[in-house]
Structure formats: C-alpha cells, structure tokens
Coordinates of all heavy atoms in Angstrom, one line a residue:
M990 N 2.1 33.1 -49.4 CA 0.7 33.2 -49.4 C 0.2 32.8 -48.0 O 1.0 32.7 -47.1 CB 0.1 32.3 -50.5 CG 0.4 32.7 -51.9 SD 0.0 34.4 -52.3 CE -1.7 34.3 -52.9
P991 N -1.1 32.6 -47.8 CA -1.7 32.4 -46.5 C -1.1 31.2 -45.7 O -0.9 30.1 -46.3 CB -3.2 32.2 -46.7 CG -3.4 32.7 -48.1 CD -2.2 32.5 -48.8
V992 N -0.8 31.4 -44.5 CA -0.4 30.3 -43.5 C -1.4 30.4 -42.4 O -1.5 31.4 -41.7 CB 1.1 30.5 -43.1 CG1 1.4 29.4 -42.0 CG2 2.0 30.5 -44.2
I993 N -2.0 29.2 -42.1 CA -3.0 29.1 -41.0 C -2.4 28.2 -40.0 O -1.9 27.1 -40.3 CB -4.3 28.5 -41.5 CG1 -4.8 29.4 -42.7 CG2 -5.3 28.4 -40.4 CD1 -5.8 28.6 -43.6
S994 N -2.4 28.7 -38.7 CA -1.9 27.9 -37.6 C -3.1 27.5 -36.7 O -3.8 28.4 -36.2 CB -0.8 28.6 -36.9 OG -0.3 27.9 -35.8
V995 N -3.2 26.2 -36.4 CA -4.3 25.8 -35.5 C -3.7 25.0 -34.4 O -3.0 24.1 -34.5 CB -5.3 24.8 -36.3 CG1 -6.4 24.3 -35.3 CG2 -5.9 25.5 -37.5
D996 N -4.0 25.5 -33.1 CA -3.6 24.7 -31.9 C -4.9 24.2 -31.4 O -5.9 24.9 -31.1 CB -3.0 25.7 -30.9 CG -1.7 26.2 -31.4 OD1 -0.8 25.5 -31.8 OD2 -1.5 27.5 -31.3
W997 N -4.9 22.8 -31.2 CA -6.1 22.2 -30.6 C -5.7 21.1 -29.7 O -4.5 20.7 -29.7 CB -7.1 21.8 -31.6 CG -6.8 20.7 -32.6 CD1 -5.6 20.1 -32.7 CD2 -7.6 20.2 -33.6 NE1 -5.6 19.1 -33.7 CE2 -6.9 19.2 -34.2 CE3 -8.9 20.4 -33.9 CZ2 -7.4 18.4 -35.3 CZ3 -9.5 19.6 -35.0 CH2 -8.7 18.6 -35.6
W998 N -6.6 20.6 -28.9 CA -6.3 19.6 -27.9 C -5.9 18.3 -28.6 O -6.5 17.9 -29.6 CB -7.4 19.3 -26.9 CG -7.7 20.5 -26.0 CD1 -6.8 21.6 -25.8 CD2 -8.8 20.7 -25.2 NE1 -7.4 22.4 -24.9 CE2 -8.6 21.9 -24.5 CE3 -9.9 20.0 -25.0 CZ2 -9.6 22.4 -23.6 CZ3 -10.9 20.4 -24.1 CH2 -10.7 21.7 -23.4
K999 N -4.9 17.6 -28.1 CA -4.5 16.3 -28.6 C -5.6 15.4 -28.4 O -6.4 15.4 -27.4 CB -3.3 15.9 -27.8 CG -2.7 14.6 -28.4 CD -1.4 14.3 -27.7 CE -0.8 13.0 -28.3 NZ 0.5 12.7 -27.6
G1000 N -5.8 14.5 -29.4 CA -6.9 13.5 -29.3 C -7.7 13.4 -30.5 O -8.4 12.4 -30.7
N1001 N -7.5 14.3 -31.4 CA -8.2 14.3 -32.7 C -7.5 13.3 -33.6 O -6.2 13.3 -33.6 CB -8.3 15.7 -33.3 CG -9.1 16.6 -32.5 OD1 -10.3 16.4 -32.3 ND2 -8.5 17.6 -31.9
D1002 N -8.2 12.5 -34.4 CA -7.5 11.5 -35.2 C -7.1 12.1 -36.6 O -7.5 13.3 -36.9 CB -8.3 10.3 -35.4 CG -9.7 10.5 -36.0 OD1 -9.8 11.5 -36.8 OD2 -10.6 9.7 -35.8
R1003 N -6.5 11.3 -37.4 CA -6.0 11.8 -38.7 C -7.1 12.2 -39.6 O -7.0 13.2 -40.3 CB -5.2 10.7 -39.4 CG -4.5 11.1 -40.6 CD -3.7 9.9 -41.2 NE -2.7 10.4 -42.2 CZ -2.9 10.9 -43.4 NH1 -4.2 11.1 -43.8 NH2 -1.9 11.3 -44.2
A1004 N -8.2 11.5 -39.6 CA -9.4 11.9 -40.4 C -9.9 13.3 -40.0 O -10.2 14.1 -40.9 CB -10.5 10.9 -40.3
Q1005 N -9.9 13.6 -38.7 CA -10.4 14.9 -38.3 C -9.4 16.0 -38.7 O -9.8 17.1 -39.2 CB -10.5 15.0 -36.8 CG -11.7 14.1 -36.3 CD -11.7 13.9 -34.8 OE1 -10.7 13.5 -34.2 NE2 -12.8 14.3 -34.2
R1006 N -8.1 15.7 -38.6 CA -7.1 16.7 -39.1 C -7.2 16.9 -40.6 O -7.1 18.0 -41.1 CB -5.7 16.2 -38.7 CG -5.3 16.4 -37.2 CD -3.9 16.2 -36.9 NE -3.4 14.8 -37.3 CZ -3.5 13.7 -36.6 NH1 -4.1 13.8 -35.4 NH2 -3.1 12.6 -37.0
Q1007 N -7.4 15.8 -41.3 CA -7.5 16.0 -42.8 C -8.7 16.8 -43.2 O -8.7 17.7 -44.0 CB -7.7 14.6 -43.4 CG -7.8 14.6 -44.9 CD -6.6 15.2 -45.6 OE1 -5.5 14.8 -45.3 NE2 -6.8 16.1 -46.6
E1008 N -9.9 16.6 -42.5 CA -11.1 17.4 -42.8 C -10.8 18.9 -42.4 O -11.2 19.8 -43.2 CB -12.3 16.9 -42.0 CG -13.5 17.6 -42.3 CD -14.7 17.0 -41.5 OE1 -14.6 16.1 -40.8 OE2 -15.8 17.6 -41.7
L1009 N -10.2 19.1 -41.3 CA -9.9 20.5 -40.9 C -9.0 21.2 -42.0 O -9.3 22.3 -42.4 CB -9.1 20.5 -39.6 CG -8.7 21.8 -39.0 CD1 -9.9 22.7 -38.6 CD2 -7.8 21.7 -37.9
V1010 N -7.9 20.5 -42.4 CA -7.0 21.1 -43.4 C -7.8 21.3 -44.7 O -7.6 22.4 -45.3 CB -5.8 20.1 -43.6 CG1 -5.0 20.5 -44.8 CG2 -4.9 20.1 -42.4
E1011 N -8.6 20.4 -45.2 CA -9.4 20.6 -46.4 C -10.3 21.8 -46.3 O -10.3 22.6 -47.2 CB -10.2 19.3 -46.7 CG -9.4 18.1 -47.2 CD -10.2 16.9 -47.3 OE1 -11.4 16.9 -47.1 OE2 -9.6 15.8 -47.6
E1012 N -11.1 21.8 -45.2 CA -12.1 22.9 -45.1 C -11.4 24.3 -44.9 O -11.8 25.2 -45.6 CB -13.0 22.6 -43.9 CG -13.8 21.4 -44.0 CD -15.0 21.6 -45.0 OE1 -15.4 22.7 -45.2 OE2 -15.4 20.6 -45.5
L1013 N -10.3 24.4 -44.1 CA -9.7 25.7 -44.0 C -9.0 26.1 -45.3 O -9.1 27.3 -45.7 CB -8.6 25.6 -42.9 CG -9.1 25.5 -41.5 CD1 -8.0 25.3 -40.5 CD2 -9.9 26.7 -41.1
T1014 N -8.4 25.2 -46.0 CA -7.8 25.5 -47.3 C -8.8 26.0 -48.3 O -8.6 27.0 -48.9 CB -7.0 24.2 -47.8 OG1 -6.0 23.8 -46.9 CG2 -6.4 24.5 -49.2
A1015 N -9.9 25.3 -48.4 CA -10.9 25.8 -49.4 C -11.5 27.1 -49.0 O -11.6 28.0 -49.9 CB -12.1 24.7 -49.4
C1016 N -11.7 27.4 -47.7 CA -12.3 28.7 -47.3 C -11.3 29.8 -47.5 O -11.7 30.8 -48.1 CB -12.6 28.5 -45.8 SG -13.4 30.0 -45.1
V1017 N -10.1 29.6 -47.1 CA -9.1 30.7 -47.3 C -8.8 30.9 -48.7 O -8.6 32.1 -49.2 CB -7.8 30.4 -46.5 CG1 -6.7 31.3 -46.8 CG2 -8.1 30.4 -45.0
S1018 N -8.7 29.9 -49.5 CA -8.5 30.0 -51.0 C -9.6 30.8 -51.6 O -9.3 31.7 -52.4 CB -8.4 28.6 -51.6 OG -8.4 28.7 -53.0
R1019 N -10.8 30.6 -51.2 CA -11.9 31.3 -51.8 C -11.9 32.8 -51.4 O -12.0 33.7 -52.2 CB -13.3 30.6 -51.3 CG -14.5 31.4 -51.8 CD -15.8 30.7 -51.3 NE -15.8 30.4 -49.9 CZ -16.2 31.3 -49.0 NH1 -16.5 32.6 -49.3 NH2 -16.2 31.0 -47.7
I1020 N -11.7 33.0 -50.1 CA -11.7 34.4 -49.6 C -10.5 35.2 -50.1 O -10.6 36.4 -50.5 CB -11.8 34.4 -48.1 CG1 -13.2 33.9 -47.6 CG2 -11.6 35.8 -47.5 CD1 -13.3 33.6 -46.2
A1021 N -9.3 34.6 -50.1 CA -8.1 35.3 -50.5 C -7.9 35.3 -52.0 O -7.1 36.1 -52.5 CB -6.9 34.6 -49.8
G1022 N -8.7 34.5 -52.7 CA -8.6 34.5 -54.2 C -7.2 33.9 -54.6 O -6.7 34.4 -55.6
C1023 N -6.8 32.9 -53.9 CA -5.5 32.3 -54.3 C -5.8 30.8 -54.5 O -6.8 30.3 -54.1 CB -4.4 32.5 -53.2 SG -4.8 31.7 -51.7
P1024 N -4.8 30.2 -55.2 CA -5.0 28.7 -55.5 C -4.9 28.0 -54.1 O -4.1 28.4 -53.2 CB -3.9 28.4 -56.4 CG -2.9 29.5 -56.4 CD -3.6 30.7 -55.9
E1025 N -5.5 26.8 -54.0 CA -5.4 26.0 -52.8 C -4.0 25.6 -52.5 O -3.6 25.5 -51.4 CB -6.4 24.8 -52.9 CG -7.8 25.2 -52.8 CD -8.7 24.0 -52.6 OE1 -8.3 22.8 -52.7 OE2 -9.9 24.2 -52.4
E1026 N -3.2 25.4 -53.6 CA -1.8 25.0 -53.4 C -1.0 26.0 -52.7 O 0.1 25.8 -52.2 CB -1.2 24.7 -54.8 CG -1.8 23.5 -55.5 CD -3.2 23.8 -56.1 OE1 -3.5 25.0 -56.4 OE2 -4.0 22.8 -56.3
A1027 N -1.5 27.3 -52.7 CA -0.8 28.4 -52.0 C -1.0 28.4 -50.5 O -0.4 29.2 -49.8 CB -1.1 29.7 -52.7
V1028 N -2.0 27.7 -50.0 CA -2.4 27.8 -48.6 C -1.7 26.7 -47.8 O -1.7 25.5 -48.2 CB -4.0 27.6 -48.5 CG1 -4.4 27.6 -47.0 CG2 -4.7 28.6 -49.3
T1029 N -1.1 27.1 -46.7 CA -0.4 26.2 -45.8 C -1.2 26.1 -44.5 O -1.6 27.2 -44.0 CB 1.0 26.6 -45.5 OG1 1.7 26.6 -46.8 CG2 1.7 25.7 -44.5
V1030 N -1.5 25.0 -44.0 CA -2.1 24.8 -42.7 C -1.2 24.0 -41.8 O -0.7 22.9 -42.1 CB -3.5 24.1 -42.8 CG1 -4.2 23.9 -41.5 CG2 -4.4 24.8 -43.8
I1031 N -1.0 24.6 -40.6 CA -0.1 23.9 -39.6 C -1.1 23.5 -38.4 O -1.7 24.4 -37.9 CB 1.0 24.8 -39.1 CG1 1.9 25.2 -40.3 CG2 1.8 24.1 -38.0 CD1 2.8 26.4 -40.0
V1032 N -1.1 22.3 -38.1 CA -1.9 21.8 -37.0 C -1.0 21.3 -35.9 O -0.2 20.4 -36.1 CB -2.9 20.6 -37.5 CG1 -3.8 20.2 -36.3 CG2 -3.7 21.1 -38.6
R1033 N -1.2 21.9 -34.7 CA -0.5 21.5 -33.5 C -1.4 20.8 -32.5 O -2.4 21.4 -32.1 CB 0.2 22.7 -32.9 CG 1.3 23.3 -33.7 CD 1.9 24.4 -32.9 NE 2.8 25.2 -33.8 CZ 2.4 26.3 -34.4 NH1 1.1 26.8 -34.3 NH2 3.2 27.0 -35.2
D1034 N -1.1 19.6 -32.1 CA -1.8 18.9 -31.0 C -1.2 19.3 -29.7 O 0.0 19.1 -29.5 CB -1.8 17.4 -31.2 CG -2.6 16.9 -32.5 OD1 -3.6 17.6 -32.8 OD2 -2.2 16.0 -33.1
V1035 N -2.0 19.8 -28.8 CA -1.5 20.3 -27.5 C -2.1 19.4 -26.4 O -3.3 19.2 -26.4 CB -1.9 21.8 -27.3 CG1 -1.3 22.2 -25.9 CG2 -1.3 22.6 -28.4
E1036 N -1.3 18.9 -25.5 CA -1.7 18.1 -24.4 C -2.6 19.0 -23.5 O -2.4 20.2 -23.4 CB -0.6 17.6 -23.5 CG 0.4 16.7 -24.2 CD -0.2 15.3 -24.4 OE1 -1.3 15.0 -23.7 OE2 0.3 14.5 -25.1
T1037 N -3.7 18.5 -23.0 CA -4.6 19.3 -22.2 C -4.0 19.8 -20.9 O -4.5 20.8 -20.4 CB -5.9 18.5 -21.8 OG1 -5.5 17.3 -21.2 CG2 -6.7 18.1 -23.1
D1038 N -2.9 19.2 -20.4 CA -2.3 19.8 -19.3 C -1.3 20.9 -19.6 O -0.5 21.4 -18.8 CB -1.6 18.7 -18.4 CG -0.5 17.9 -19.1 OD1 -0.4 18.0 -20.3 OD2 0.2 17.2 -18.4
H1039 N -1.2 21.2 -20.9 CA -0.4 22.3 -21.4 C -1.3 23.4 -21.9 O -0.8 24.3 -22.7 CB 0.6 21.9 -22.5 CG 1.7 21.0 -22.0 ND1 1.6 19.6 -22.0 CD2 2.8 21.3 -21.4 CE1 2.8 19.2 -21.5 NE2 3.5 20.2 -21.1
W1040 N -2.6 23.4 -21.6 CA -3.5 24.3 -22.2 C -4.4 24.9 -21.0 O -5.0 24.1 -20.3 CB -4.4 23.6 -23.1 CG -5.4 24.4 -23.9 CD1 -6.5 25.1 -23.4 CD2 -5.5 24.5 -25.3 NE1 -7.2 25.7 -24.4 CE2 -6.6 25.3 -25.6 CE3 -4.8 24.0 -26.4 CZ2 -7.0 25.6 -26.9 CZ3 -5.2 24.3 -27.7 CH2 -6.3 25.1 -27.9
G1041 N -4.4 26.2 -20.8 CA -5.2 26.7 -19.7 C -6.3 27.6 -20.2 O -6.1 28.3 -21.2
K1042 N -7.4 27.6 -19.5 CA -8.5 28.5 -19.8 C -9.1 29.0 -18.5 O -9.4 28.2 -17.7 CB -9.5 27.7 -20.7 CG -10.7 28.6 -21.1 CD -11.6 28.0 -22.1 CE -12.6 28.9 -22.5 NZ -13.5 28.4 -23.5
G1043 N -9.2 30.3 -18.4 CA -9.8 30.9 -17.2 C -9.0 30.6 -15.9 O -9.6 30.5 -14.9
G1044 N -7.7 30.4 -16.1 CA -6.8 30.1 -15.0 C -6.8 28.7 -14.5 O -6.2 28.4 -13.5
V1045 N -7.4 27.8 -15.3 CA -7.4 26.4 -15.0 C -6.9 25.6 -16.1 O -7.2 25.9 -17.3 CB -8.9 26.0 -14.6 CG1 -9.0 24.5 -14.3 CG2 -9.5 26.8 -13.5
L1046 N -6.1 24.6 -15.8 CA -5.6 23.7 -16.9 C -6.8 22.9 -17.5 O -7.7 22.5 -16.8 CB -4.5 22.8 -16.4 CG -3.2 23.4 -16.1 CD1 -2.3 22.4 -15.5 CD2 -2.6 24.1 -17.3
A1047 N -6.8 22.7 -18.8 CA -7.9 22.0 -19.5 C -8.1 20.6 -19.0 O -9.2 20.1 -19.0 CB -7.6 22.0 -21.0
D1048 N -7.0 19.9 -18.6 CA -7.3 18.5 -18.1 C -8.2 18.5 -16.8 O -9.0 17.7 -16.6 CB -6.0 17.7 -17.8 CG -5.1 18.4 -16.8 OD1 -5.3 19.6 -16.4 OD2 -4.1 17.7 -16.4
A1049 N -8.0 19.6 -16.0 CA -8.9 19.7 -14.8 C -10.3 20.1 -15.2 O -11.3 19.6 -14.6 CB -8.3 20.8 -13.9
L1050 N -10.4 20.9 -16.2 CA -11.8 21.3 -16.7 C -12.5 20.1 -17.3 O -13.7 19.9 -17.0 CB -11.7 22.3 -17.8 CG -11.2 23.7 -17.4 CD1 -10.9 24.6 -18.7 CD2 -12.2 24.4 -16.5
L1051 N -11.8 19.2 -18.0 CA -12.4 18.0 -18.6 C -12.8 17.0 -17.5 O -13.8 16.4 -17.5 CB -11.4 17.3 -19.5 CG -11.2 18.0 -20.9 CD1 -10.1 17.4 -21.7 CD2 -12.5 18.0 -21.7
A1052 N -11.9 16.9 -16.5 CA -12.2 16.0 -15.3 C -13.5 16.5 -14.6 O -14.3 15.7 -14.2 CB -11.0 15.9 -14.4
D1053 N -13.6 17.8 -14.4 CA -14.7 18.4 -13.8 C -16.0 18.2 -14.6 O -17.1 17.8 -14.1 CB -14.5 19.9 -13.5 CG -15.7 20.5 -12.7 OD1 -16.1 19.9 -11.7 OD2 -16.2 21.6 -13.1
A1054 N -15.9 18.3 -16.0 CA -17.0 18.1 -16.9 C -17.5 16.7 -16.8 O -18.7 16.4 -16.9 CB -16.6 18.5 -18.3
V1055 N -16.6 15.7 -16.7 CA -17.0 14.3 -16.6 C -17.7 14.0 -15.3 O -18.7 13.3 -15.3 CB -15.7 13.4 -16.8 CG1 -16.1 12.0 -16.5 CG2 -15.2 13.5 -18.2
S1056 N -17.2 14.6 -14.2 CA -17.8 14.3 -12.9 C -19.1 15.0 -12.6 O -19.8 14.7 -11.7 CB -16.7 14.6 -11.8 OG -16.5 16.0 -11.7
R1057 N -19.3 16.1 -13.4 CA -20.5 16.9 -13.1 C -21.3 17.1 -14.4 O -20.9 17.8 -15.3 CB -20.1 18.3 -12.6 CG -21.2 19.1 -12.1 CD -20.7 20.4 -11.5 NE -19.7 21.0 -12.4 CZ -19.4 22.2 -12.5 NH1 -20.1 23.1 -11.8 NH2 -18.5 22.7 -13.3
P1058 N -22.4 16.4 -14.6 CA -23.2 16.5 -15.8 C -23.7 17.9 -16.0 O -23.9 18.6 -15.1 CB -24.3 15.5 -15.6 CG -24.3 15.0 -14.2 CD -23.0 15.5 -13.6
G1059 N -23.9 18.2 -17.3 CA -24.5 19.5 -17.7 C -23.6 20.1 -18.7 O -22.5 19.7 -19.0
P1060 N -24.1 21.3 -19.3 CA -23.3 21.9 -20.3 C -22.0 22.5 -19.7 O -22.0 23.2 -18.7 CB -24.2 23.0 -20.8 CG -25.2 23.2 -19.7 CD -25.3 21.9 -19.0
Q1061 N -20.9 22.2 -20.4 CA -19.6 22.6 -20.0 C -18.9 23.1 -21.2 O -19.0 22.6 -22.3 CB -18.7 21.5 -19.4 CG -19.3 20.9 -18.1 CD -19.2 21.9 -16.9 OE1 -18.3 22.6 -16.8 NE2 -20.3 22.0 -16.2
D1062 N -18.0 24.2 -21.1 CA -17.2 24.7 -22.2 C -15.9 23.9 -22.1 O -15.1 24.1 -21.3 CB -17.0 26.1 -22.1 CG -16.1 26.7 -23.2 OD1 -15.7 25.9 -24.1 OD2 -15.9 27.9 -23.2
T1063 N -15.8 22.9 -23.1 CA -14.6 22.1 -23.1 C -13.8 22.4 -24.4 O -13.0 21.6 -24.9 CB -14.9 20.6 -23.1 OG1 -15.8 20.3 -24.2 CG2 -15.6 20.2 -21.8
G1064 N -13.9 23.7 -24.8 CA -13.1 24.1 -26.0 C -13.4 23.3 -27.2 O -12.6 23.2 -28.1
G1065 N -14.6 22.8 -27.4 CA -15.0 22.1 -28.6 C -14.6 20.6 -28.5 O -14.8 19.9 -29.5
Q1066 N -14.0 20.2 -27.4 CA -13.5 18.8 -27.4 C -14.6 18.0 -26.6 O -15.2 18.5 -25.7 CB -12.2 18.7 -26.6 CG -11.1 19.5 -27.4 CD -10.7 18.8 -28.6 OE1 -10.5 17.6 -28.7 NE2 -10.6 19.5 -29.7
R1067 N -14.6 16.7 -26.9 CA -15.4 15.8 -26.1 C -14.7 15.4 -24.9 O -13.5 15.0 -24.9 CB -15.7 14.5 -27.0 CG -16.6 14.8 -28.1 CD -16.8 13.5 -29.0 NE -16.7 13.9 -30.4 CZ -15.6 13.7 -31.1 NH1 -14.5 13.2 -30.6 NH2 -15.6 14.0 -32.4
P1068 N -15.4 15.4 -23.7 CA -14.7 14.9 -22.5 C -14.4 13.4 -22.5 O -14.9 12.7 -23.3 CB -15.7 15.2 -21.4 CG -16.9 15.8 -22.0 CD -16.7 15.9 -23.5

C-alpha cells in the first residue's frame, strides 16, 4: 500500500514528526481509500549542509536569513 517519504531539515522534534506522520497517514488513507494501518511514512532528517537549493547549501541560506532581516525562503524551517 502507500509509502510516503519525507526529507526535511534536521531540527524538528519528536512531536513535530508525530504530527506529520499522523496528518499524512490520515490524508493518504482518506484519498487512497485504504486503512491507516496500510500507510507507511518514512521521515528523514537531513543536515542543512547536505541540502542545496538554488545552487547554495541550506546552512548558508539560513545564515544569510539570520544576518539579513526580511522574508526569506528557508524551506519551511525557522532560522
């Protein structure tokens, strides 16, 4: 049955992972018409220096966002 793989930046706590797994499981179960027990969610925490966006490593993007106030795209993560 459905397998969902999520890669996100390291730093989210267990409660956030639990909420993510619960919400994804409920949504996929509803849409796929399968029992929640059939849905598998794999969550991978990735170091920001192993994640690039727009040719720049995410740790550099975060450092830039902290040093320069204003709206920044940090991939949904808090700087």
Side-chain angles (χ1 to χ4, degrees):
M990 294 307 269
V992 176
I993 303 157
S994 180
V995 177
D996 295 311
W997 65 357
W998 293 347
K999 188 174 182 178
N1001 297 292
D1002 62 25
R1003 188 178 197 292
Q1005 290 169 308
R1006 285 190 301 276
Q1007 180 63 46
E1008 182 178 1
L1009 178 70
V1010 168
E1011 288 174 4
E1012 294 288 335
L1013 289 174
T1014 298
C1016 182
V1017 170
S1018 172
R1019 179 179 51 80
I1020 292 170
C1023 66
E1025 289 190 354
E1026 295 75 24
V1028 178
T1029 298
V1030 179
I1031 301 166
V1032 180
R1033 294 183 192 94
D1034 291 327
V1035 180
E1036 296 287 347
T1037 55
D1038 64 347
H1039 289 97
W1040 184 299
K1042 183 171 182 179
V1045 180
L1046 291 175
D1048 61 346
L1050 292 172
L1051 287 172
D1053 186 47
V1055 169
S1056 67
R1057 192 174 43 150
Q1061 298 291 320
D1062 182 359
T1063 59
Q1066 298 291 315
R1067 292 178 221 98

